């Protein structure tokens, strides 16, 4: 693994190269937010889709906007979604996700998307899921990377059980969990309670985007009403803390999250872009970490946030002085929180995170 990673890292600074080499766990990445620009251009040509521009550099600027709002941020997804309407395109983007993970030193990754967004070309939702699973499988055959697939409902759609039932149907084929995605504020988690209930009733894992730009109430709903096992973002839990930031006592949402070590899937660059947080130093990641919450760092959208997992970890290293040991601890937390089977976790832990780990 190290040869290729070294080639990719040689233009970066030394600590970045080290971060890329560390074995990493990705828990929160959107398939349709992580395409390569060159792939979008090719897929658009193949499908006869008209892009906002054919210039790859300008397209990258359009699809990765500067700090704005979550609503603006989500506009890029209409472009990526427009070229992901065939089985071939879906398999290719899934395969390339695994390839990009490998190049970034990721040894286990969970990628998520909403099947219902990819039926405009005539595919059934089952065909959509199977195409993505095929791409992930091809990726696993080509690279030493383990994968899990999370299926989402779109928050703004009329609540339904389509994605949750697909999780059930394909849970033995690499689908590991359920989530809700899209614009957050007008659509609280409890709107989709029936789908979350379906998952819980069938012992299917769920995570839930909550507290990205909305307050702790959405996190409370995700955990207590929807029985989500992890929280996507959870950044705004900090609203429950005072100044200077100290966690409130036991009978609080933070107390519950701390007591139960509920994993938070934090995404630094994405939060800056959506103005969930005004600047990096104000991001609650380090306060959460220092007070023992089960924090993980994740990419969210490799294309739309113009980042990678190594880059997110490097941001944390340079902002708060995290050491290699701290970064490895974050990976162990993420692995514990992963939705893959325990035997996969044990295999990864032994290979990459034990005392004799092969991390090269
Ligand atoms: Zn997300």
């Amino acid at each position: 693994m190290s040869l290729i990673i070294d080639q990719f890292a040689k233009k970066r600074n030394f600590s970045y190269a080290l971060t890329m080499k560390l074995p990493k766990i990705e828990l929160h990445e959107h398939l349709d937010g992580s395409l390569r620009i060159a792939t979008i251009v090719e897929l658009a040509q193949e499908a006869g889709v008209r892009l906002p521009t054919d210039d790859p550099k300008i397209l990258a600027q359009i699809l990765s906007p500067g700090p704005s709002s979550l609503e603006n941020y989500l506009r890029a997804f209409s472009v990526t979604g427009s070229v992901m309407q065939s089985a071939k395109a879906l398999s290719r983007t899934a395969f390339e996700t695994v390839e990009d993970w490998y190049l970034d030193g990721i040894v286990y990754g969970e990628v998520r998307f909403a099947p219902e967004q990819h039926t405009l070309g005539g595919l059934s939702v089952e065909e959509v899921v199977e195409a993505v699973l095929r791409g992930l499988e091809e990726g696993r055959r080509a690279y030493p990377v383990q994968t899990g697939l999370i299926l989402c409902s779109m928050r703004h759609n009329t609540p339904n059980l389509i994605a949750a039932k697909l999780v059930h149907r394909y849970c033995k084929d690499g689908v590991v969990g359920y989530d809700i995605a899209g614009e957050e504020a007008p659509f609280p988690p409890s709107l989709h309670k029936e789908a979350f209930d379906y998952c819980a009733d069938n012992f299917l894992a769920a995570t839930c985007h909550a507290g990205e730009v909305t307050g702790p109430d959405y996190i409370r709903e995700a955990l207590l009403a929807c029985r989500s096992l992890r929280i996507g973002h959870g950044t705004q839990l900090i609203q429950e803390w005072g100044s200077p930031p100290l966690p409130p006592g036991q009978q609080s949402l933070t107390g519950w999250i701390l007591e139960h070590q509920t994993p938070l899937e934090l995404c630094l660059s994405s939060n800056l872009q959506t103005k969930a947080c005004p600047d990096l130093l104000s991001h609650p990641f380090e306060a959460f970490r220092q007070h023992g919450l089960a924090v993980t760092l994740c990419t969210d959208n490799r294309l739309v946030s113009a980042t990678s997992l190594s880059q997110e970890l490097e941001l944390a290293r340079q902002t708060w002085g995290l050491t290699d040991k701290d970064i490895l601890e974050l990976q162990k937390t993420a692995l514990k929180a992963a939705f893959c089977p325990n035997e996969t976790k044990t295999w990864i832990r032994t290979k990459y995170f034990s005392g004799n780990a092969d991390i090269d």
Side-chain angles (χ1 to χ4, degrees):
M1 178 187 302
S2 58
L3 255 183
I4 294 177
I5 289 177
D6 281 346
Q7 284 168 10
F8 264 69
K10 68 183 176 188
K11 290 183 186 164
R12 314 271 190 170
N13 63 38
F14 183 61
S15 71
Y16 189 95
L18 285 179
T19 303
M20 283 186 86
K21 274 190 176 182
L22 293 173
K24 289 177 289 293
I25 308 294
E26 174 70 77
L27 291 186
H28 187 135
E29 183 168 321
H30 294 262
L31 183 67
D32 47 343
S34 300
L35 277 68
R36 300 171 187 168
I37 285 290
T39 300
I40 294 174
V41 172
E42 281 181 36
L43 290 177
Q45 282 166 356
E46 282 172 24
V49 170
R50 202 175 161 157
L51 296 172
T53 169
D54 291 328
D55 184 318
K57 275 191 186 157
I58 299 173
L59 187 60
Q61 286 166 2
I62 292 171
L63 297 182
S64 180
S68 180
S69 63
L70 181 58
E71 294 75 38
N72 279 341
Y73 185 83
L74 293 173
R75 286 201 184 117
F77 291 82
S78 62
V79 176
T80 57
S82 70
V83 300
M84 297 171 73
Q85 300 296 334
S86 71
K88 191 177 161 202
L90 288 162
S91 293
R92 175 175 172 177
T93 53
F95 173 82
E96 289 181 355
T97 291
V98 180
E99 191 167 62
D100 289 342
W101 281 347
Y102 169 70
L103 295 173
D104 198 35
I106 290 168
V107 296
Y108 172 79
E110 290 176 6
V111 67
R112 60 187 76 188
F113 83 115
E116 283 181 275
Q117 299 290 89
H118 301 274
T119 56
L120 296 175
L123 295 176
S124 67
V125 286
E126 289 81 7
E127 288 169 330
V128 168
V129 173
E130 286 165 18
V132 171
L133 285 171
R134 271 199 306 279
L136 294 176
E137 190 186 350
E138 282 169 32
R140 289 195 306 274
R141 277 207 301 268
Y143 300 104
V145 178
Q146 302 295 310
T147 68
L149 179 61
I150 293 173
L151 302 180
C152 307
S153 298
M154 296 306 293
R155 309 174 87 107
H156 62 264
N157 284 351
T158 305
N160 62 63
L161 294 181
I162 293 171
K165 285 189 172 177
L166 288 168
V167 175
H168 195 200
R169 174 161 177 177
Y170 293 100
C171 67
K172 291 187 171 58
D173 303 303
V175 174
V176 296
Y178 174 75
D179 181 27
I180 54 172
E183 195 183 355
E184 185 177 347
F187 309 104
S190 56
L191 279 181
H192 296 269
K193 185 176 181 321
E194 197 184 346
F196 282 105
D197 281 347
Y198 176 90
C199 290
D201 291 347
N202 288 285
F203 302 103
L204 302 167
T207 180
C208 181
H209 279 79
E212 180 177 5
V213 293
T214 57
D217 281 357
Y218 278 40
I219 303 173
R220 178 193 295 261
E221 275 193 14
L223 290 181
L224 303 182
C226 299
R227 293 179 277 175
S228 176
L229 300 176
R230 307 191 315 228
I231 294 294
H233 295 283
T235 316
Q236 304 306 332
L237 181 66
I238 198 69
Q239 288 179 20
E240 209 191 33
W241 299 31
S243 181
L246 288 170
Q250 267 191 332
Q251 285 181 306
S252 65
L253 182 60
T254 300
W256 178 272
I257 286 172
L258 188 57
E259 193 69 27
H260 296 282
Q261 287 290 287
T262 305
L264 303 180
E265 306 158 4
L266 297 169
C267 310
L268 301 175
S269 296
S270 167
N271 280 177
L272 295 183
Q273 257 179 310
T274 59
K275 293 191 176 170
C277 196
D279 54 61
L280 211 45
L281 270 176
S282 320
H283 197 284
F285 161 76
E286 183 62 357
F288 289 168
R289 189 178 77 95
Q290 290 292 344
H291 287 95
L293 273 73
V295 290
T296 69
L297 281 178
C298 310
T299 303
D300 209 7
N301 295 290
R302 204 164 352 100
L303 166 67
V304 184
S305 294
T307 192
S308 64
L309 185 52
S310 291
Q311 192 162 314
E312 294 299 293
L313 293 164
E314 192 60 17
L315 280 176
R317 190 202 284 277
Q318 292 179 7
T319 307
W320 296 289
L322 266 64
T323 62
D324 278 0
K325 188 166 176 288
D326 294 329
I327 288 173
L328 279 172
E329 282 306 313
L330 291 176
Q331 305 319 302
K332 288 181 186 174
T333 302
L335 182 60
K336 199 171 168 191
F339 287 159
C340 60
N342 254 325
E343 60 176 352
T344 307
K345 291 189 196 185
T346 302
W347 185 86
I348 294 171
R349 194 175 291 118
T350 306
K351 182 165 175 62
Y352 297 106
F353 300 107
S354 69
N356 302 316
D358 166 19
I359 60 169
D360 199 21

